[in-house]
Amino acid sequence: MNRPGPAALEVRRAVQDWAARYGAPSTVAVALSGGADSLALLAGTVAAGLDPVALVVDHGLQEASAAVADRAVEQAREIGARRAERLTVEVGERGGPEAAARTARYAALDAHREGLPVLLGHTLDDQAETVLLGLGRGSGARSLAGMAPWAAPYGRPLLGVRRDTTAAACTELGLTPWDDPHNTDPRYTRVRLRRDVLPLLEDVLGGGVAQALARTAASLRADNDALDALAPAPSGPELPVADIEALPPALRRRALRAWLADRGARALTAAHLAAVDALVSEWHGQGPTAVPGGSAGRRLQVSRAGGILRAW
């Protein structure tokens, strides 16, 4: 590779700062797609003195996906990864193509990380898009807090780095990233946010919108962490309503989230929590409500009887 310039140095510093803050081990896994963000991340991880394993997920959604993945494996070895592996997955249909591909990708990464933390190449621009998606969908504060820099086993060292910086870093280092055609396909919501919505907001509001959205996410995450620490975390098959009904709504819903997670609930949205919370705060004898369970297609039923919440 070529000598690093300002952009590559910024990526390296971001990885170094993240590793120091979260106590990263010397060996980490890096999710590598072959795109500019993940290529820059891998190079920055090597430059930061870490010893990365590159995990390249082949979703099989495009005709040349295997060749793209093989090229990413080669690039990982050239950059200096201690090992690079191509992971072939089958993408289902549940939740639409984006959600199904994400589910398959994370399952493969988790199955092959061998206990290592996995670094992901999400940038400040990705964070801004995530916050906008949450706003548009009327999500709660947890969703608007965006992606966490560290949520075991996944780390995101580049949440303060712009997408154009990762592209510039690849140019400086002589790396040729893969341009995923899905990243310009207007059928995908994120593409339209990236191509149409964010540029319009930047124009109307005079710039700095992506950075402002990322700051909003960081601020909300700090608030969420504080409220999570204050909320009780009930467990067990039954939850007495009297234990939580007097709590402020923000704490009561966090307690319900913790209890439901203990019972096997997953991917809870603000709407799911509101429906369960109504069994506590707006009780008028209504029947059970359903929330997503721990496996695809499974639903938990949550009901109230005799002042007790039960989930099965």
Side-chain angles (χ1 to χ4, degrees):
M1 291 191 301
N2 300 335
R3 290 178 60 84
L9 291 174
E10 181 179 341
V11 172
R12 184 186 73 184
R13 284 193 298 269
V15 176
Q16 289 173 327
D17 291 346
W18 181 90
R21 179 175 181 180
Y22 295 103
S26 58
T27 301
V28 297
V30 174
L32 180 65
S33 68
D37 297 339
S38 60
L39 272 180
L41 173 61
L42 181 63
T45 301
V46 172
L50 300 178
D51 189 17
V53 171
L55 299 178
V56 181
V57 178
D58 176 9
H59 298 86
L61 296 177
Q62 300 175 44
E63 186 175 344
S65 66
V68 170
D70 287 341
R71 175 56 184 148
V73 168
E74 293 174 9
Q75 289 177 302
R77 292 168 178 158
E78 293 166 1
I79 289 170
R82 67 179 300 177
R83 179 169 58 84
E85 182 178 356
R86 175 161 71 95
L87 313 177
T88 302
V89 300
E90 292 187 10
V91 176
E93 299 179 356
R94 184 177 177 82
E98 290 176 281
R102 183 170 56 250
T103 297
R105 178 168 62 254
Y106 278 95
L109 292 172
D110 191 48
H112 292 83
R113 65 186 181 87
E114 298 179 348
L116 298 174
V118 181
L119 305 191
L120 307 173
H122 295 127
T123 65
L124 184 148
D125 299 85
D126 295 308
Q127 186 74 299
E129 293 161 10
T130 298
V131 175
L132 271 181
L133 281 171
L135 285 169
R137 292 168 177 167
S139 302
R142 188 177 299 273
S143 177
L144 297 183
M147 297 175 285
W150 171 243
Y154 299 106
R156 298 176 175 88
L158 305 186
L159 288 180
V161 176
R162 297 301 303 267
R163 189 176 288 137
D164 56 3
T165 300
T166 62
C170 289
T171 299
E172 291 171 0
L173 297 171
L175 299 173
T176 303
W178 171 57
D179 290 325
D180 186 350
H182 285 170
N183 289 336
T184 56
D185 188 337
R187 291 178 299 173
Y188 297 102
T189 304
R190 275 189 179 268
V191 172
R192 298 189 68 184
L193 282 176
R194 185 177 308 146
R195 187 192 66 181
D196 303 327
V197 178
L198 271 170
L200 178 60
L201 286 173
E202 294 279 356
D203 179 54
V204 171
L205 299 177
V209 172
Q211 295 93 326
L213 289 169
R215 288 195 301 272
T216 297
S219 176
L220 281 171
R221 184 163 296 282
D223 291 349
N224 280 333
D225 289 345
L227 289 170
D228 286 346
L230 293 172
S235 60
E238 298 182 345
L239 175 58
V241 170
D243 288 356
I244 61 170
E245 62 183 341
L247 292 172
L251 298 184
R252 186 174 64 242
R253 292 191 182 191
R254 282 169 168 78
L256 286 170
R257 178 184 288 275
W259 177 68
L260 290 168
D262 185 66
R263 304 306 303 148
R266 297 292 183 271
L268 293 173
T269 66
H272 293 136
L273 282 175
V276 176
D277 185 54
L279 297 175
V280 177
S281 60
E282 301 176 23
W283 175 245
H284 49 78
Q286 64 264 42
T289 188
V291 299
S295 58
R298 181 171 176 243
R299 310 276 291 177
L300 286 175
Q301 300 294 320
V302 185
S303 63
R304 172 173 170 167
I308 300 292
L309 293 185
R310 296 178 177 84
W312 72 96

